[in-house]
Amino acid sequence: MSSARLIVLIEDDAELRGALVHAFAAHAFRIEPASCAREGLQMVAAHGADLVILDVGLPDLDGREACKVLRGQGHTMPILLLTAAGSDADAILGLEAGASDYLVKPVGFAHLLARVRAQLRVFDDSRNATYQIGPYTFHQSRRLLVDDTGRKIRLTDMEARLLKRLCRAGGARVARDELMVEIWDYSAGANSHTVQTHIYRIRQKLGSDPRGASLLKTEEEGYSLQLASSYVQRPQTGVSNG
């Protein structure tokens, strides 16, 4: 069993926002709703996200500008823009801002859900996904760290899965119990020695203390990574209103 994927939903239409929260929750997603860009950006900074749904017409900031802010901060998760404008020019502007996909309102939930799942699948399966952790480049599919001198450091499967989950959080804290459930299928509250052991081994590979500890931090019963700009190459997807 793995815990639900987290979607940050930034939408100022309260009725639509509420409907989407209930609909996604019914399909085993966790939803953090926000009514403006500022609130949504704060949520992503605090909790990370597996995917962001972002309305273009927000009251405090154009959604495309908010998308640029997220990309500029190194966040790499898929971002789906929602807009009432359906011209090709609008779609191009959205994609150039860093959006993964661009959907025109009104959009049926079944169609939106399919696009969300497709984006998560592409993101998870990308063979080009790399993250910058301090001076190390993490090649997730190859289970490999490469430092700034070109030295290669091999990771075990569990070490790579743990690093990938922490990278997905975009620098936000991930609770130890959550890692136990997602990575090892343990129930929440089980003995956390396994997680602590893997964290220790990863720190050793990231360099002797204090270097390793400064890149992989322990905080509030969880862990966070010190990331630089993430996801060196992001897969491109086409736009379809079908």
Side-chain angles (χ1 to χ4, degrees):
M1 182 183 80
S2 63
S3 65
R5 307 299 291 270
L6 173 61
I7 296 175
V8 171
L9 170 64
I10 310 174
E11 168 61 62
D12 64 325
D13 183 325
E15 184 176 353
L16 176 59
R17 188 172 66 248
L20 289 178
V21 166
H22 288 295
F24 276 112
H27 288 269
F29 286 91
R30 289 187 296 138
I31 305 295
E32 289 286 351
S35 60
C36 65
R38 178 184 57 80
E39 184 184 0
L41 293 174
Q42 289 175 346
M43 285 180 177
V44 174
H47 306 295
D50 291 300
L51 182 139
V52 175
I53 298 176
L54 182 56
D55 185 30
V56 169
L58 295 170
D60 56 342
L61 184 67
D62 185 289
R64 289 164 294 207
E65 293 303 315
C67 183
K68 288 180 183 179
V69 171
L70 288 170
R71 295 305 189 208
Q73 292 173 341
H75 293 291
T76 65
M77 75 290 285
I79 299 175
L80 274 65
L81 288 182
L82 299 180
T83 179
S87 71
D88 289 343
D90 287 309
I92 290 169
L93 287 173
L95 294 172
E96 287 182 345
S100 309
D101 208 344
Y102 194 90
L103 302 178
V104 179
K105 296 178 181 177
V107 57
F109 178 73
H111 182 53
L112 176 59
L113 178 63
R115 299 286 273 266
V116 163
R117 286 174 168 164
Q119 287 296 327
L120 288 171
R121 190 163 52 247
V122 169
F123 183 72
D124 288 344
D125 293 345
S126 173
R127 303 298 292 179
N128 297 319
T130 63
Y131 295 88
Q132 197 67 31
I133 306 169
Y136 301 93
T137 302
F138 172 40
H139 299 264
Q140 62 178 30
S141 63
R142 295 164 60 192
R143 303 200 300 268
L144 187 69
L145 288 167
V146 181
D147 70 12
D148 48 9
T149 69
R151 182 173 64 98
K152 296 179 179 179
I153 304 162
R154 297 291 175 183
L155 300 168
T156 67
D157 179 61
M158 285 300 187
E159 289 168 352
R161 289 174 62 187
L162 182 54
L163 269 185
K164 179 181 176 181
R165 178 62 186 89
L166 292 170
C167 285
R168 270 176 39 206
R173 181 187 71 90
V174 182
R176 188 180 294 123
D177 280 355
E178 186 174 343
L179 292 171
M180 290 162 60
V181 171
E182 288 197 38
I183 308 300
W184 284 276
D185 291 338
Y186 290 175
S187 61
N191 190 300
S192 61
H193 178 70
T194 297
V195 181
Q196 293 168 329
T197 299
H198 281 78
I199 291 292
Y200 172 75
R201 290 174 178 169
I202 292 171
R203 280 188 177 136
Q204 286 187 312
K205 293 182 178 183
L206 289 173
S208 59
D209 287 342
R211 189 182 189 187
S214 68
L215 294 174
L216 177 47
K217 300 178 181 179
T218 300
E219 49 179 323
E220 299 179 18
E221 299 299 318
Y223 305 96
S224 66
L225 274 174
Q226 182 66 44
L227 296 177
S229 57
S230 307
Y231 207 63
V232 171
Q233 185 171 352
R234 184 165 57 87
Q236 299 297 314
T237 60
V239 178
S240 169
N241 293 324

